[in-house]
Amino acid sequence: MVNIIAAVARNRAIGFQNKLLYWLPNDLKRFKQLTTGHTIIMGRNTYLSLPKGALPNRRNVVLSRSGAQLPGCDVFPSLEAALQSCKPDEDIYIIGGASVYQQAMGFADRLCLTEIDDTPSEADAFFPDYSRWREASREEHDADERHAHRYAFVDYVSPRRP
């Protein structure tokens, strides 16, 4: 199953200057719970934004046309090539960035989104339109001492799925 995982603002903003817009400890915990033990696919800039490089306990796949080898990662020139390297029963998580999300929308079965009740003042990366996707589950959370904004964990299923 191909999943896309992201934290999105009300205007679908996801980043600014190759950095996440929000620091949400519960979102990071959910990301780790969902992706550990599975394959994650990311663009090269997303890989470069990770503080310690490849994420542990996951197969890290990076999309890069340069062919450069990256420690702890399998590198492929395209999303299609990366997906072909995966087993049919493998759980795959697309983790960014914006152009990889755009390419992946046609392959994805599920969106695992953290929807943040905020519109940032600055953003230069946006998640693709997902208004045609069907909401499958929603878990609402209020702002608290560790989370500056209300947010919800929302799973969507592809409009191609029955």
Side-chain angles (χ1 to χ4, degrees), residues 84-121:
Q84 287 173 357
S85 78
C86 298
K87 298 178 185 83
D89 62 342
E90 200 168 340
D91 270 340
I92 302 158
Y93 288 85
I94 310 293
I95 69 166
S99 67
V100 177
Y101 286 142
Q102 185 67 51
Q103 294 171 55
M105 290 296 275
F107 298 102
D109 302 297
R110 182 174 70 147
L111 305 179
C112 305
L113 300 182
T114 300
E115 294 180 340
I116 300 137
D117 190 16
D118 183 58
T119 302
S121 57

Side-chain angles (χ1 to χ4, degrees), residues 32-66:
K32 184 177 180 179
Q33 284 175 330
L34 290 173
T35 63
T36 295
H38 301 294
T39 296
I40 56 174
I41 298 177
M42 68 196 96
R44 190 166 187 272
N45 285 342
T46 297
Y47 169 80
L48 293 173
S49 76
L50 298 174
K52 297 178 183 171
L55 297 177
N57 305 313
R58 285 156 269 217
R59 177 182 176 219
N60 287 249
V61 174
V62 178
L63 306 180
S64 175
R65 286 186 277 286
S66 75

Side-chain angles (χ1 to χ4, degrees), residues 10-162:
R10 280 195 299 253
N11 62 348
R12 298 191 337 264
I14 57 172
F16 183 65
Q17 297 180 344
N18 208 34
K19 291 186 177 32
L20 295 175
L21 295 172
Y22 301 97
W23 179 258
L24 299 167
N26 288 345
D27 173 59
L28 298 173
K29 187 185 304 182
R30 180 179 191 240
F31 176 90
K32 184 177 180 179
Q33 284 175 330
L34 290 173
T35 63
T36 295
H38 301 294
T39 296
I40 56 174
I41 298 177
M42 68 196 96
R44 190 166 187 272
N45 285 342
T46 297
Y47 169 80
L48 293 173
S49 76
L50 298 174
K52 297 178 183 171
L55 297 177
N57 305 313
R58 285 156 269 217
R59 177 182 176 219
N60 287 249
V61 174
V62 178
L63 306 180
S64 175
R65 286 186 277 286
S66 75
Q69 294 305 305
L70 302 169
C73 299
D74 297 330
V75 179
F76 292 92
S78 69
L79 178 59
E80 292 82 357
L83 291 171
Q84 287 173 357
S85 78
C86 298
K87 298 178 185 83
D89 62 342
E90 200 168 340
D91 270 340
I92 302 158
Y93 288 85
I94 310 293
I95 69 166
S99 67
V100 177
Y101 286 142
Q102 185 67 51
Q103 294 171 55
M105 290 296 275
F107 298 102
D109 302 297
R110 182 174 70 147
L111 305 179
C112 305
L113 300 182
T114 300
E115 294 180 340
I116 300 137
D117 190 16
D118 183 58
T119 302
S121 57
E122 293 183 303
D124 59 12
F126 294 85
F127 195 80
D129 177 40
Y130 58 97
S131 59
R132 293 185 49 235
W133 288 65
R134 192 174 74 247
E135 186 174 314
S137 67
R138 175 179 292 268
E139 182 184 312
E140 301 272 351
H141 297 273
D142 287 324
D144 61 27
E145 64 279 350
R146 295 176 19 173
H147 301 84
H149 306 282
R150 290 180 42 80
Y151 62 96
F153 297 141
V154 189
D155 287 353
Y156 292 88
V157 293
S158 168
R160 299 181 319 277
R161 296 184 63 123

